[in-house]
Amino acid sequence: MLICGLQKLTLLDYPEKMACTVFTGGCNFRCPFCHNASLVLQPGRDGVIPEQEVFDLLEKRRGVLDGVCVTGGEPLLQPDLAAFLEKIHQMGFLVKLDTNGASPEALAALLEAGLADYVAMDLKSSRETYGKVIGVPGYDPAPVEKSVALLLRGGVPYEFRTTAVRGLHTKADFAAMADWIAGAEHYYLQGFVDSGELIGSGLAAFSADEMRELLGIVRAKVPSAALRGVE
Ligand code: SF4
């Protein structure tokens, strides 16, 4: 596992759980709005964290933490992810996995093995604009379609989420995404925030009123949709 960051406590990342967050290095997407640019472009630049440090933290926080969020970068690119998650489970902690959905076979294998208790998958845009929005021109979203279908089958609690970015997304993209995941259990529209460490530049957030308008569009097909991080 290439672990590039460890947040020892989060009350926000794992719904209704106290957790720590492990950040893995490397990603196959180049989303201009990615707020973890160094994790994607220069994984390990700021040092790497041995797996044992995570296990030592869990040992110390028994009875305090419920689970571990594994995020990135893109965790499913890590070849030894299954073994890492298995060890977390053996220690008695839950696992929440964040993914960009580009590795459906790896995701299916983890779910089959029962190694994720909650999955949060990014839905970046409509099929037509996927490549532009993820910074990989010409990208064929077929793998993302497979991951969406896998989660919609409902074998594990999940959420889809989209970071809405002015200049990248249109209202039509949101209508198309809502069609794509119609009836999903949980779908969150997140406001874009400039972390100061983005992959791209010249990006802006939609206003709160615009976000509410986008929410109205997606709720026509995904009634459970909600805003996240929008006042
Ligand atoms: S936001 Fe995009 S580039 Fe950044 S980690 Fe997620 S999928 Fe990769």
Side-chain angles (χ1 to χ4, degrees):
M1 289 284 290
L2 177 58
I3 299 174
C4 300
L6 174 60
Q7 185 181 346
K8 293 182 175 171
L9 177 66
T10 172
L11 305 176
L12 300 174
D13 290 352
Y14 197 144
E16 295 168 29
K17 306 284 181 207
M18 299 247 282
C20 63
T21 300
V22 171
F23 296 85
T24 63
C27 186
N28 47 349
F29 288 2
R30 293 290 180 272
C31 309
F33 52 90
C34 179
H35 57 270
N36 282 330
S38 65
L39 273 183
V40 173
L41 302 176
Q42 299 166 284
R45 181 193 72 178
D46 300 325
V48 296
I49 294 171
E51 285 178 37
Q52 191 57 45
E53 197 171 318
V54 178
F55 302 138
D56 289 347
L57 173 73
L58 294 177
E59 199 59 60
K60 268 191 239 151
R61 299 285 167 91
R62 274 186 196 283
V64 178
L65 296 179
D66 303 302
V68 180
C69 302
V70 183
T71 190
E74 173 48 46
L76 287 172
L77 296 179
Q78 301 293 323
D80 43 0
L81 180 64
F84 181 66
L85 301 187
E86 201 168 355
K87 175 86 195 257
I88 292 171
H89 266 178
Q90 280 167 0
M91 292 182 75
F93 294 89
L94 298 167
V95 169
K96 176 200 174 225
L97 177 72
D98 288 355
T99 179
N100 63 18
S103 308
E105 289 79 16
L107 178 61
L110 284 187
L111 296 185
E112 178 77 14
L115 291 175
D117 303 288
Y118 189 96
V119 177
M121 179 182 152
D122 293 338
L123 190 65
K124 302 290 187 181
S125 193
S126 60
R127 293 173 177 87
E128 292 69 28
T129 61
Y130 226 87
K132 180 185 86 169
V133 171
I134 66 167
V136 183
Y139 180 78
D140 176 355
V144 174
E145 298 206 8
K146 285 188 189 166
S147 294
V148 166
L150 186 61
L151 293 181
L152 285 177
R153 284 209 284 275
V156 66
Y158 67 88
E159 67 179 48
F160 294 110
R161 58 200 186 173
T162 300
T163 300
V165 187
R166 182 191 295 283
L168 284 181
H169 292 117
T170 63
K171 289 179 193 173
D173 289 323
F174 286 93
M177 282 189 280
D179 263 344
W180 190 351
I181 59 163
E185 226 168 75
H186 299 288
Y187 181 34
Y188 296 98
L189 299 188
Q190 304 177 154
F192 164 73
V193 179
D194 187 344
S195 66
E197 208 216 353
L198 302 176
I199 289 181
S201 59
L203 304 172
F206 288 104
S207 69
D209 282 345
E210 288 169 326
M211 290 295 291
R212 283 189 274 276
E213 190 183 347
L214 297 175
L215 180 64
I217 291 170
V218 302
R219 275 192 173 157
K221 293 290 173 67
V222 189
S224 65
L227 297 178
R228 182 181 271 162
V230 176
E231 294 302 317

